[in-house]
Amino acid sequence: GAVVSQHPSWVICKSGTSVKIECRSLDFQATTMFWYRQFPKQSLMLMATSNEGSKATYEQGVEKDKFLINHASLTLSTLTVTSAHPEDSSFYICSARRAGYSPLHFGNGTRLTVT
Amino acid sequence: GNSVTQMEGPVTLSEEAFLTINCTYTATGYPSLFWYVQYPGEGLQLLLKATKADDKGSNKGFEATYRKETTSFHLEKGSVQVSDSAVYFCELERAGTALIFGKGTTLSVSS
C-alpha cells in the first residue's frame, strides 16, 4: 500500500531556531501534499496545501513566512518552522495523495517541542 | 461554510457491542465523505469513503451511508472488538479543496 514517511518523529529545539520536517511518499507520486497541526484533544487543522512545483496555499490564519512549505518533487514536501517559539510546540502531520479524490495517506507525525 | 460535527468521546464499549459514531456535516454542493482511523501509535489511515449521496462505504466490518437528506455519515459496526480501539475521524472534502476533519472520537473497547 501507499506509504508516507515523515521525519523526524520528534524534535526538541530552542526558541529562535528553525526546524525542518520532511514528508516523503515512498511508493507513489504525490500530486498534492497537505500539512496539518494537531493540538491536544483537538482535530487536525489544515495548515496548507502544497502542489508540486507551485507555491503552497495557506489556510486563513497560518503565517506563511513562519511555516515555509516546499514541494520540490512529486515525492517530497518539507515544512520549515522558522524562528520557532514555545507556542509553536505541537504535533505536525503531513498527508499525500496521488490525484483527485484518491485517499489521503498520512505520515506518522512529528512532535515538535520548543524550549 | 463547510463544517463537520462529530460526536464527542470517549466511547467505551464492551466487546461485541454495537457501535455508532455520529457525524453530520454542512456543505454546499456535493462533498465526498470519509472516515479515517488512528490506531495507538500509528498514523491516520483511510477506513472507508463515500463520494455521492446514498453510497455506502464499508471496510473491516464498519459501514457508513452518505445521507444527503440528513447531512450525515454515521459510522457503525455491529460487533466491535478490542482491536477496534482507536480514534476515528470524519472528514469532508469538496471540489478537491475544502478538507475538513471532525474533532475525532476515541473508542475504547474492553473484553
Side-chain angles (χ1 to χ4, degrees):
Chain A
V3 176
V4 172
S5 173
Q6 188 172 338
H7 178 81
S9 55
W10 60 271
V11 58
I12 301 172
C13 70
K14 292 186 176 180
S15 187
T17 62
S18 295
V19 174
K20 180 184 283 189
I21 302 170
E22 291 188 350
C23 180
R24 292 180 184 273
S25 56
L26 297 186
D27 54 358
F28 67 100
Q29 293 185 326
T31 55
T32 309
M33 288 186 170
F34 303 86
W35 287 95
Y36 312 81
R37 185 171 176 177
Q38 187 177 32
F39 294 97
K41 299 184 180 180
Q42 301 265 339
S43 179
L44 299 171
M45 299 298 295
L46 180 65
M47 298 175 67
T49 302
S50 98
N51 293 295
E52 186 264 340
S54 61
K55 289 184 178 180
T57 302
Y58 289 80
E59 296 298 304
Q60 194 171 10
V62 178
E63 298 176 61
K64 61 181 180 182
D65 294 331
K66 181 168 189 60
F67 298 100
L68 300 179
I69 291 172
N70 186 314
H71 192 160
S73 75
L74 284 171
T75 59
L76 174 64
S77 177
T78 59
L79 167 67
T80 302
V81 183
T82 62
S83 187
H85 290 284
E87 56 266 30
D88 298 325
S89 298
S90 191
F91 195 58
Y92 293 88
I93 302 172
C94 73
S95 71
R97 72 184 345 158
R98 286 186 178 89
Y101 286 116
S102 61
L104 294 167
H105 302 283
F106 288 82
N108 282 352
T110 298
R111 171 71 61 192
L112 170 64
T113 302
V114 184
T115 61
Chain B
N2 302 310
S3 67
V4 172
T5 302
Q6 188 175 338
M7 67 183 286
E8 293 188 20
V11 174
T12 303
L13 296 173
S14 298
E15 209 165 23
E16 299 184 4
F18 185 86
L19 168 72
T20 300
I21 300 177
N22 289 339
C23 173
T24 57
Y25 68 91
T26 57
T28 54
Y30 302 93
S32 292
L33 301 169
F34 303 78
W35 277 100
Y36 285 86
V37 58
Q38 185 176 30
Y39 296 105
E42 299 184 15
L44 278 79
Q45 55 187 278
L46 177 67
L47 180 60
L48 53 83
K49 67 176 182 180
T51 57
K52 60 182 187 297
D54 300 325
D55 269 1
K56 177 186 283 188
S58 61
N59 186 24
K60 299 181 181 181
F62 290 89
E63 293 183 341
T65 301
Y66 186 161
R67 299 206 184 278
K68 191 165 177 62
E69 64 276 14
T70 54
T71 61
S72 65
F73 192 55
H74 304 323
L75 182 68
E76 297 181 334
K77 185 172 186 180
S79 177
V80 293
Q81 305 300 312
V82 173
S83 58
D84 294 326
S85 297
V87 183
Y88 293 83
F89 292 89
C90 183
E91 189 230 344
L92 172 154
E93 293 191 33
R94 181 175 178 276
T97 54
L99 193 153
I100 300 169
F101 285 84
K103 290 189 175 181
T105 302
T106 300
L107 170 65
S108 179
V109 180
S110 57
S111 58

